Amino acid sequence: MSTSDKPEVVDRDVKDKERKEDDKDEEKGGFIDKVKDFIRDIGEKIDETVGFGKPDADVTGVHIPSINLHKADIVVEVLIKNPNPVPIPLIDINYLIDSKGRKLVSGLIPDAGTIHAHGEETVKIPVTLVYDDIKKTYDDIQPGNIIPYRVKVDLIVDVPVLGRLTIPLEKTGEIPVPFKPDIDLEKIHFETFSFEETVAVLHLKLENMNDFDLGLNVLDYEVWLGDVSIGGAELAKSAKLEKKGTSYIDVPITFRPKDFGSALWDMIRGKGTGYTLKGNINVDTPFGAMKLPISKEGGTTRLKKEGDDDDEE
């Protein structure tokens, strides 16, 4: 073999070696690309499956479970929906109730619970409005008024990846500042009379000074003539007390005249007598049921005699 053949062999070996190395680089590069594609696909699928989003929330209702002359108990209901695959903590709830930009009440509820994964929860926020505090602060808010309100709620949640978020909510409405009805016992009409037992009808005048109607359901009362109680009763009575209006109601009572002393005789002689009337009325209103006190002290009434004109006062 001539010496001129050797370079040819060497060149072939080098080329084969280089070709093998190129093939290895291609195989290595292809493997890495496949790994990258695989990781990217897995990431996209994880992102699709485990994607985190902001919870949805809405004030679904404002209820007044209890209201009287002194305060109103209010419950604000907030529905929160968690679209995430893990529970999220409801860190704080800030709330404010104002009227025409003036604060009526505010507060903070810390550590308000947890919203389940892919779930929803109704959170109830109890609030109490004390009317004396409101009337002392705002002179133009008077008993009998209806005032507009706005509920503002900030929900603070902690969502993985997204971090701490604040969800602001609002709801508007109206709430009353109740005023107790004024009551008068105008006259007493005897149905049957005896010293042992007398049945009479009390003619009552009720004035509703509120800016809203009262639907009377139940009246319970006790009556004194002079210093003597002639009794009372609870009466289921249906009547509509018009807003800013006067209504008349007749209620029965049974008593023993011989127990009264001079009060009854003053009435029989037409002098009239002092009386006291106390009780409560259960009413329906546009804002819910209420139990309102009624009272009259130091009034004067008279006996309704047979043949008197019913319209006579």
Side-chain angles (χ1 to χ4, degrees):
M1 178 181 294
S2 65
T3 56
S4 60
D5 295 334
K6 291 180 181 179
E8 190 175 334
V9 173
V10 172
D11 289 342
R12 187 180 299 114
D13 290 341
V14 171
K15 289 178 180 179
D16 290 344
K17 185 176 180 181
E18 289 175 351
R19 189 181 298 113
K20 289 179 181 179
E21 288 177 354
D22 289 341
D23 291 343
K24 287 180 180 179
D25 288 340
E26 288 179 4
E27 291 177 0
K28 183 178 179 181
F31 175 74
I32 291 175
D33 289 340
K34 289 180 180 179
V35 170
K36 289 180 178 178
D37 291 342
F38 175 76
I39 292 174
R40 184 172 60 250
D41 291 342
I42 290 296
E44 289 176 354
K45 292 184 181 298
I46 291 175
D47 186 60
E48 291 173 2
T49 305
V50 192
F52 291 95
K54 183 178 179 180
D56 293 325
D58 187 30
V59 178
T60 55
V62 179
H63 307 288
I64 307 176
S66 175
I67 188 169
N68 55 42
L69 295 179
H70 307 292
K71 64 183 180 69
D73 293 325
I74 301 173
V75 176
V76 181
E77 293 188 353
V78 178
L79 178 64
I80 309 172
K81 297 180 180 180
N82 177 17
N84 300 295
V86 295
I88 58 172
L90 182 53
I91 299 173
D92 289 326
I93 298 176
N94 288 302
Y95 64 85
L96 165 71
I97 298 181
D98 65 23
S99 179
K100 298 179 180 179
R102 301 175 299 181
K103 184 179 77 171
L104 302 181
V105 64
S106 64
L108 168 69
I109 302 176
D111 302 324
T114 300
I115 313 303
H116 298 298
H118 295 302
E120 60 183 45
E121 299 286 341
T122 296
V123 178
K124 296 183 178 182
I125 306 171
V127 182
T128 297
L129 290 181
V130 179
Y131 292 128
D132 281 347
D133 294 342
I134 296 172
K135 288 181 285 188
K136 287 176 182 176
T137 306
Y138 307 113
D139 294 336
D140 60 318
I141 298 178
Q142 298 297 323
N145 290 166
I146 297 174
I147 59 175
Y149 71 80
R150 177 180 59 169
V151 177
K152 297 182 67 178
V153 178
D154 286 336
L155 304 176
I156 302 175
V157 297
D158 192 0
V159 180
V161 179
L162 301 179
R164 184 171 293 196
L165 301 174
T166 298
I167 306 173
L169 306 170
E170 284 192 13
K171 187 82 169 180
T172 59
E174 292 182 327
I175 192 167
V177 182
F179 191 70
K180 73 174 183 178
D182 188 40
I183 188 168
D184 275 317
L185 172 57
E186 292 203 317
K187 51 196 172 188
I188 301 176
H189 180 214
F190 290 135
E191 298 287 339
T192 60
F193 181 88
S194 75
F195 286 100
E196 294 297 327
E197 183 178 83
T198 292
V199 178
V201 175
L202 308 181
H203 296 268
L204 303 180
K205 181 175 76 171
L206 287 167
E207 290 187 77
N208 176 18
M209 303 306 294
N210 293 285
D211 288 331
F212 50 91
D213 295 339
L214 302 176
L216 176 62
N217 295 319
V218 176
L219 167 68
D220 66 81
Y221 60 93
E222 186 172 3
V223 181
W224 287 261
L225 293 181
D227 296 327
V228 180
S229 171
I230 64 171
E234 181 175 292
L235 175 69
K237 188 75 174 178
S238 178
K240 182 179 180 181
L241 309 182
E242 300 278 354
K243 64 180 181 180
K244 298 294 185 181
T246 301
S247 301
Y248 296 89
I249 298 175
D250 293 340
V251 296
I253 191 168
T254 301
F255 55 90
R256 291 161 55 92
K258 69 178 185 179
D259 296 333
F260 294 158
S262 61
L264 177 63
W265 308 118
D266 287 341
M267 290 179 64
I268 292 175
R269 291 195 298 267
K271 293 183 177 180
T273 187
Y275 72 89
T276 298
L277 193 151
K278 293 182 180 180
N280 297 279
I281 58 172
N282 293 351
V283 295
D284 292 327
T285 78
F287 311 96
M290 297 186 196
K291 186 173 185 178
L292 300 176
I294 51 173
S295 64
K296 181 71 173 185
E297 297 186 36
T300 301
T301 189
R302 65 180 179 83
L303 173 66
K304 170 70 168 59
K305 301 176 182 178
E306 275 308 317
D308 282 354
D309 187 351
D310 287 339
D311 294 331
E312 181 185 348
E313 297 296 338

PDB file of all heavy atoms in Angstrom, residues 57 64-66 72 75 101 119 124 157 166 180 214 221 229 264 276 281 290 294:
ATOM      1  N   ALA A  57     -68.588  38.269  44.706  1.00  0.00           N
ATOM      2  CA  ALA A  57     -69.367  38.548  45.917  1.00  0.00           C
ATOM      3  C   ALA A  57     -70.483  39.529  45.584  1.00  0.00           C
ATOM      4  O   ALA A  57     -70.379  40.323  44.647  1.00  0.00           O
ATOM      5  CB  ALA A  57     -68.474  39.121  47.020  1.00  0.00           C
ATOM      6  N   ILE A  64     -84.285  43.303  58.511  1.00  0.00           N
ATOM      7  CA  ILE A  64     -84.473  43.936  59.822  1.00  0.00           C
ATOM      8  C   ILE A  64     -85.254  42.951  60.700  1.00  0.00           C
ATOM      9  O   ILE A  64     -86.480  42.980  60.746  1.00  0.00           O
ATOM     10  CB  ILE A  64     -85.230  45.271  59.699  1.00  0.00           C
ATOM     11  CG1 ILE A  64     -84.548  46.176  58.671  1.00  0.00           C
ATOM     12  CG2 ILE A  64     -85.302  45.982  61.047  1.00  0.00           C
ATOM     13  CD1 ILE A  64     -85.278  47.477  58.411  1.00  0.00           C
ATOM     14  N   PRO A  65     -84.562  42.034  61.386  1.00  0.00           N
ATOM     15  CA  PRO A  65     -85.269  41.034  62.192  1.00  0.00           C
ATOM     16  C   PRO A  65     -85.954  41.608  63.422  1.00  0.00           C
ATOM     17  O   PRO A  65     -86.908  41.033  63.936  1.00  0.00           O
ATOM     18  CB  PRO A  65     -84.170  40.037  62.584  1.00  0.00           C
ATOM     19  CG  PRO A  65     -82.900  40.818  62.478  1.00  0.00           C
ATOM     20  CD  PRO A  65     -83.111  41.822  61.390  1.00  0.00           C
ATOM     21  N   SER A  66     -85.472  42.760  63.910  1.00  0.00           N
ATOM     22  CA  SER A  66     -86.059  43.349  65.119  1.00  0.00           C
ATOM     23  C   SER A  66     -85.934  44.860  65.054  1.00  0.00           C
ATOM     24  O   SER A  66     -84.869  45.395  64.721  1.00  0.00           O
ATOM     25  CB  SER A  66     -85.343  42.822  66.366  1.00  0.00           C
ATOM     26  OG  SER A  66     -85.809  43.464  67.534  1.00  0.00           O
ATOM     27  N   ALA A  72     -82.681  49.420  65.913  1.00  0.00           N
ATOM     28  CA  ALA A  72     -83.007  48.500  64.822  1.00  0.00           C
ATOM     29  C   ALA A  72     -81.857  47.522  64.668  1.00  0.00           C
ATOM     30  O   ALA A  72     -80.697  47.937  64.546  1.00  0.00           O
ATOM     31  CB  ALA A  72     -83.250  49.255  63.525  1.00  0.00           C
ATOM     32  N   VAL A  75     -79.393  42.821  59.572  1.00  0.00           N
ATOM     33  CA  VAL A  75     -78.494  41.755  59.121  1.00  0.00           C
ATOM     34  C   VAL A  75     -78.232  41.952  57.627  1.00  0.00           C
ATOM     35  O   VAL A  75     -79.166  41.950  56.824  1.00  0.00           O
ATOM     36  CB  VAL A  75     -79.081  40.357  59.378  1.00  0.00           C
ATOM     37  CG1 VAL A  75     -78.164  39.285  58.803  1.00  0.00           C
ATOM     38  CG2 VAL A  75     -79.282  40.126  60.873  1.00  0.00           C
ATOM     39  N   GLY A 101     -74.190  60.408  53.111  1.00  0.00           N
ATOM     40  CA  GLY A 101     -72.784  60.667  53.379  1.00  0.00           C
ATOM     41  C   GLY A 101     -72.429  60.799  54.844  1.00  0.00           C
ATOM     42  O   GLY A 101     -71.245  60.984  55.174  1.00  0.00           O
ATOM     43  N   GLY A 119     -66.573  26.583  46.069  1.00  0.00           N
ATOM     44  CA  GLY A 119     -67.816  26.652  46.846  1.00  0.00           C
ATOM     45  C   GLY A 119     -68.296  28.075  47.020  1.00  0.00           C
ATOM     46  O   GLY A 119     -67.713  29.035  46.504  1.00  0.00           O
ATOM     47  N   LYS A 124     -73.193  36.510  57.139  1.00  0.00           N
ATOM     48  CA  LYS A 124     -74.162  37.423  57.735  1.00  0.00           C
ATOM     49  C   LYS A 124     -73.441  38.421  58.627  1.00  0.00           C
ATOM     50  O   LYS A 124     -72.672  38.039  59.510  1.00  0.00           O
ATOM     51  CB  LYS A 124     -75.215  36.652  58.525  1.00  0.00           C
ATOM     52  CG  LYS A 124     -76.065  35.735  57.658  1.00  0.00           C
ATOM     53  CD  LYS A 124     -77.156  35.044  58.453  1.00  0.00           C
ATOM     54  CE  LYS A 124     -78.024  34.174  57.547  1.00  0.00           C
ATOM     55  NZ  LYS A 124     -79.117  33.518  58.295  1.00  0.00           N
ATOM     56  N   VAL A 157     -59.756  39.192  51.299  1.00  0.00           N
ATOM     57  CA  VAL A 157     -59.472  37.762  51.155  1.00  0.00           C
ATOM     58  C   VAL A 157     -58.014  37.570  50.756  1.00  0.00           C
ATOM     59  O   VAL A 157     -57.362  38.490  50.258  1.00  0.00           O
ATOM     60  CB  VAL A 157     -60.401  37.105  50.105  1.00  0.00           C
ATOM     61  CG1 VAL A 157     -61.845  37.179  50.551  1.00  0.00           C
ATOM     62  CG2 VAL A 157     -60.230  37.764  48.740  1.00  0.00           C
ATOM     63  N   THR A 166     -59.045  43.076  48.068  1.00  0.00           N
ATOM     64  CA  THR A 166     -60.187  43.737  48.690  1.00  0.00           C
ATOM     65  C   THR A 166     -61.336  43.784  47.694  1.00  0.00           C
ATOM     66  O   THR A 166     -61.169  44.273  46.575  1.00  0.00           O
ATOM     67  CB  THR A 166     -59.836  45.161  49.144  1.00  0.00           C
ATOM     68  OG1 THR A 166     -58.794  45.104  50.125  1.00  0.00           O
ATOM     69  CG2 THR A 166     -61.052  45.843  49.762  1.00  0.00           C
ATOM     70  N   LYS A 180     -93.885  56.323  68.474  1.00  0.00           N
ATOM     71  CA  LYS A 180     -95.006  55.577  69.043  1.00  0.00           C
ATOM     72  C   LYS A 180     -96.310  56.337  68.803  1.00  0.00           C
ATOM     73  O   LYS A 180     -96.370  57.566  68.893  1.00  0.00           O
ATOM     74  CB  LYS A 180     -94.801  55.322  70.529  1.00  0.00           C
ATOM     75  CG  LYS A 180     -94.962  56.532  71.423  1.00  0.00           C
ATOM     76  CD  LYS A 180     -94.872  56.116  72.886  1.00  0.00           C
ATOM     77  CE  LYS A 180     -95.113  57.290  73.815  1.00  0.00           C
ATOM     78  NZ  LYS A 180     -95.083  56.902  75.233  1.00  0.00           N
ATOM     79  N   LEU A 214     -99.236  51.796  59.460  1.00  0.00           N
ATOM     80  CA  LEU A 214     -99.117  50.724  60.438  1.00  0.00           C
ATOM     81  C   LEU A 214    -100.321  49.794  60.282  1.00  0.00           C
ATOM     82  O   LEU A 214    -101.465  50.253  60.320  1.00  0.00           O
ATOM     83  CB  LEU A 214     -99.085  51.283  61.865  1.00  0.00           C
ATOM     84  CG  LEU A 214     -97.982  52.284  62.219  1.00  0.00           C
ATOM     85  CD1 LEU A 214     -98.176  52.796  63.650  1.00  0.00           C
ATOM     86  CD2 LEU A 214     -96.604  51.647  62.061  1.00  0.00           C
ATOM     87  N   TYR A 221    -103.851  45.893  76.407  1.00  0.00           N
ATOM     88  CA  TYR A 221    -104.030  47.149  77.121  1.00  0.00           C
ATOM     89  C   TYR A 221    -104.499  46.890  78.552  1.00  0.00           C
ATOM     90  O   TYR A 221    -105.025  45.825  78.885  1.00  0.00           O
ATOM     91  CB  TYR A 221    -105.071  48.028  76.418  1.00  0.00           C
ATOM     92  CG  TYR A 221    -106.428  47.374  76.312  1.00  0.00           C
ATOM     93  CD1 TYR A 221    -107.404  47.581  77.293  1.00  0.00           C
ATOM     94  CD2 TYR A 221    -106.731  46.518  75.252  1.00  0.00           C
ATOM     95  CE1 TYR A 221    -108.636  46.972  77.210  1.00  0.00           C
ATOM     96  CE2 TYR A 221    -107.961  45.903  75.165  1.00  0.00           C
ATOM     97  CZ  TYR A 221    -108.921  46.130  76.139  1.00  0.00           C
ATOM     98  OH  TYR A 221    -110.146  45.501  76.068  1.00  0.00           O
ATOM     99  N   SER A 229    -107.583  50.133  88.729  1.00  0.00           N
ATOM    100  CA  SER A 229    -107.520  49.409  87.450  1.00  0.00           C
ATOM    101  C   SER A 229    -108.849  48.716  87.203  1.00  0.00           C
ATOM    102  O   SER A 229    -109.357  47.975  88.062  1.00  0.00           O
ATOM    103  CB  SER A 229    -106.402  48.372  87.469  1.00  0.00           C
ATOM    104  OG  SER A 229    -106.465  47.545  86.326  1.00  0.00           O
ATOM    105  N   LEU A 264    -116.427  56.032  89.182  1.00  0.00           N
ATOM    106  CA  LEU A 264    -117.564  55.705  88.326  1.00  0.00           C
ATOM    107  C   LEU A 264    -118.689  56.709  88.522  1.00  0.00           C
ATOM    108  O   LEU A 264    -119.326  57.132  87.554  1.00  0.00           O
ATOM    109  CB  LEU A 264    -118.051  54.290  88.635  1.00  0.00           C
ATOM    110  CG  LEU A 264    -119.288  53.839  87.854  1.00  0.00           C
ATOM    111  CD1 LEU A 264    -118.994  53.802  86.363  1.00  0.00           C
ATOM    112  CD2 LEU A 264    -119.779  52.486  88.336  1.00  0.00           C
ATOM    113  N   THR A 276    -105.851  56.387  83.008  1.00  0.00           N
ATOM    114  CA  THR A 276    -104.534  56.008  82.496  1.00  0.00           C
ATOM    115  C   THR A 276    -104.717  54.769  81.641  1.00  0.00           C
ATOM    116  O   THR A 276    -105.442  53.841  82.034  1.00  0.00           O
ATOM    117  CB  THR A 276    -103.553  55.702  83.641  1.00  0.00           C
ATOM    118  OG1 THR A 276    -103.378  56.881  84.433  1.00  0.00           O
ATOM    119  CG2 THR A 276    -102.210  55.246  83.115  1.00  0.00           C
ATOM    120  N   ILE A 281     -99.084  47.729  70.908  1.00  0.00           N
ATOM    121  CA  ILE A 281     -99.730  47.286  69.679  1.00  0.00           C
ATOM    122  C   ILE A 281     -98.687  46.560  68.825  1.00  0.00           C
ATOM    123  O   ILE A 281     -97.529  46.966  68.743  1.00  0.00           O
ATOM    124  CB  ILE A 281    -100.356  48.451  68.881  1.00  0.00           C
ATOM    125  CG1 ILE A 281     -99.318  49.514  68.524  1.00  0.00           C
ATOM    126  CG2 ILE A 281    -101.509  49.070  69.634  1.00  0.00           C
ATOM    127  CD1 ILE A 281     -99.849  50.585  67.584  1.00  0.00           C
ATOM    128  N   MET A 290     -93.421  45.245  64.059  1.00  0.00           N
ATOM    129  CA  MET A 290     -92.962  46.019  65.211  1.00  0.00           C
ATOM    130  C   MET A 290     -93.940  45.831  66.358  1.00  0.00           C
ATOM    131  O   MET A 290     -95.136  45.625  66.158  1.00  0.00           O
ATOM    132  CB  MET A 290     -92.889  47.521  64.898  1.00  0.00           C
ATOM    133  CG  MET A 290     -91.909  47.924  63.833  1.00  0.00           C
ATOM    134  SD  MET A 290     -91.829  49.749  63.708  1.00  0.00           S
ATOM    135  CE  MET A 290     -91.030  49.919  62.117  1.00  0.00           C
ATOM    136  N   ILE A 294     -98.012  51.888  73.737  1.00  0.00           N
ATOM    137  CA  ILE A 294     -99.005  52.956  73.751  1.00  0.00           C
ATOM    138  C   ILE A 294     -99.259  53.335  75.196  1.00  0.00           C
ATOM    139  O   ILE A 294     -99.293  52.475  76.080  1.00  0.00           O
ATOM    140  CB  ILE A 294    -100.333  52.547  73.063  1.00  0.00           C
ATOM    141  CG1 ILE A 294    -100.843  51.211  73.627  1.00  0.00           C
ATOM    142  CG2 ILE A 294    -100.163  52.461  71.556  1.00  0.00           C
ATOM    143  CD1 ILE A 294    -102.229  50.821  73.127  1.00  0.00           C
TER     144      ILE A 294
END
